């Protein structure tokens, strides 16, 4: 069956509605999988009546449906039953209906984009298109027997977790695609430098996007060059790069140009903007610098940041993309200065600490030494231990390395972490006559 035409969408809608009428026991599956937006015209009206009956825990049968809609719909309801031979293929009907509704919506948006007069209109349409691409899935139910078989099968294959620029993190963090990770830090702690270092490392294998909401890409790239080629930021800013440094940079130009990392100027972006660009560019890992600068609706900052956190977590899971968001920390009260921050220090919302799979907090070891060592705390780790780690920081080249002689993280892992090694086609049917547009709708 050709799945792209309007007629096929109608046939799919007919089959879904007819299946409910002849076998009401499929109604829960349909209601869970399809929304009113997956139907149109007379079919949409009938589906709304069925959902009303379902919500009221009333039987869904021809008499009840016609009782809600009126006798004008009687012939249509009867024809739905006549052209649907069986409800046995309901899963296929649902899939076709959802797919065709999605195709129809995307085509409508494409036409509106063609007719748009302003860039703002196109941006809004892209948001709608990206939302359409994430379809509503049916409930996934797994028995214990199935889960056990999957577990046995998974254990036969080596795990694939993200490897980190700081190698010592590889035995602590079991991060995967679809995780939501937060790196928190006070201003000047170095969270952007750490994120750039990780992004460069990840981009060896996966396509990465670095969304910068605060700094233009030219400045972000200058910091990247400083780290990669070990060129002082002072020389870069003063345009006094030495011949030796130029030579070293030129020898690295092939690797730099070929790295699968893209920088996005993201000032004034929303989470929907991030989602749209991520989907268009095919990123597998994205960085957001930083979370609190994303635009969002809400009566106050707490509501806005809560919405942002929930949306980023949902995006990571629905797209299977690793989302690494940087977050500002609240200012430390005077009476608590000298103490390490904790998850409650994440600025403006407690939702972040609930949504994140992993939270790392970066802070100065000595508050009076901006170029000194940092402490990286694993404040939240759903599938592993939570050690602290001391990092050396080279401010001139914006580079982090694990401090030599610091065994705090590794020792803690050896004691506990060995226990956490591996986590982990519808039948053809004739078209029936839709009711006129002016048919009364009882809603």
């Amino acid at each position: 069956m050709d799945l792209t035409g309007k007629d096929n969408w109608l046939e799919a809608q007919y089959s879904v509605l007819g299946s409910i009428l002849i076998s009401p026991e499929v109604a829960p599956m349909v209601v869970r999988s399809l929304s009113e937006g997956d139907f149109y015209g007379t079919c949409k009206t009938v589906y709304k009546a069925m959902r009303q009956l379902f919500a009221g825990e009333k039987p869904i049968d021809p008499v009840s449906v016609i009782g809600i809609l009126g006798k004008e719909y009687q012939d249509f309801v009867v024809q739905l039953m006549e052209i649907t031979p069986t409800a046995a293929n309901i899963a296929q009907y649902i899939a076709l209906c959802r797919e065709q509704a999605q195709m129809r919506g995307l085509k409508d948006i494409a036409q509106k984009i063609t007719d748009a007069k302003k860039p703002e209109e196109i941006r809004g349409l892209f948001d709608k298109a990206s939302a359409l691409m994430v379809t509503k899935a049916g409930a996934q139910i797994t028995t214990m027997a199935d889960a056990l078989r999957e577990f046995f099968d998974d254990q036969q294959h080596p795990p694939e977790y993200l490897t980190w620029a700081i190698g010592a993190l590889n035995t602590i963090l079991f991060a995967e695609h679809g995780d939501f990770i937060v790196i928190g830090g006070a201003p000047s702690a170095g969270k952007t430098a750490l994120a750039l270092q990780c992004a460069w490392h990840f981009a060896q294998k996966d396509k990465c996007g670095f969304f910068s909401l605060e700094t233009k890409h030219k400045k972000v790239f200058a910091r990247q060059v400083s780290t990669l080629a070990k060129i002082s930021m002072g020389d870069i800013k003063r345009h006094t790069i030495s011949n030796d440094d130029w030579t070293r940079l030129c020898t690295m130009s092939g690797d730099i140009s070929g790295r699968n990392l893209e920088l996005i100027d993201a000032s004034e972006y929303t989470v929907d903007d991030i989602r749209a660009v991520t989907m268009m560019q095919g990123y597998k890992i994205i960085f957001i610098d930083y979370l609190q600068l994303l635009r969002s609706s809400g009566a106050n900052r707490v509501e806005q940041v809560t919405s942002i956190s929930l949306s980023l977590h949902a995006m990571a899971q629905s797209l299977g993309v690793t989302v690494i968001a940087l977050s500002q920390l609240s200012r430390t009260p005077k009476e608590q200065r000298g103490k390490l921050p904790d998850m409650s220090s994440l600025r403006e919302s407690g939702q972040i600490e609930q949504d994140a799979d992993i939270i790392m907090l970066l802070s100065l070891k000595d508050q009076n030494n901006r170029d000194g060592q940092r402490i990286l705390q694993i404040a939240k780790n759903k599938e592993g231990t939570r050690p602290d780690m001391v990092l050396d920081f080279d401010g001139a080249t914006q580079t982090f390395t694990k401090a030599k002689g610091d065994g705090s993280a590794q020792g803690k892992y050896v004691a506990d972490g060995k226990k956490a090694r591996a986590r982990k086609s519808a039948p053809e049917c004739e078209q029936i006559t839709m009711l006129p547009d002016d048919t009364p709708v009882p809603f």
Side-chain angles (χ1 to χ4, degrees), residues 310-341:
L310 288 167
S311 297
L312 290 176
H313 181 244
M315 182 179 74
Q317 292 190 324
S318 63
L319 299 184
V321 171
T322 305
V323 176
I324 303 177
L326 278 57
S327 174
Q328 291 278 27
L329 298 183
S330 302
R331 292 188 179 278
T332 305
K334 186 177 294 185
E335 63 274 11
Q336 295 183 7
R337 287 177 187 172
K339 296 182 179 179
L340 292 175

Side-chain angles (χ1 to χ4, degrees), residues 77-96:
V77 170
V78 171
Q79 289 179 77
L80 284 173
M81 299 175 66
E82 289 176 346
I83 66 171
T84 307
T86 176
N89 298 319
I90 185 61
Q92 183 181 7
Y93 301 153
I94 289 171
L96 291 177

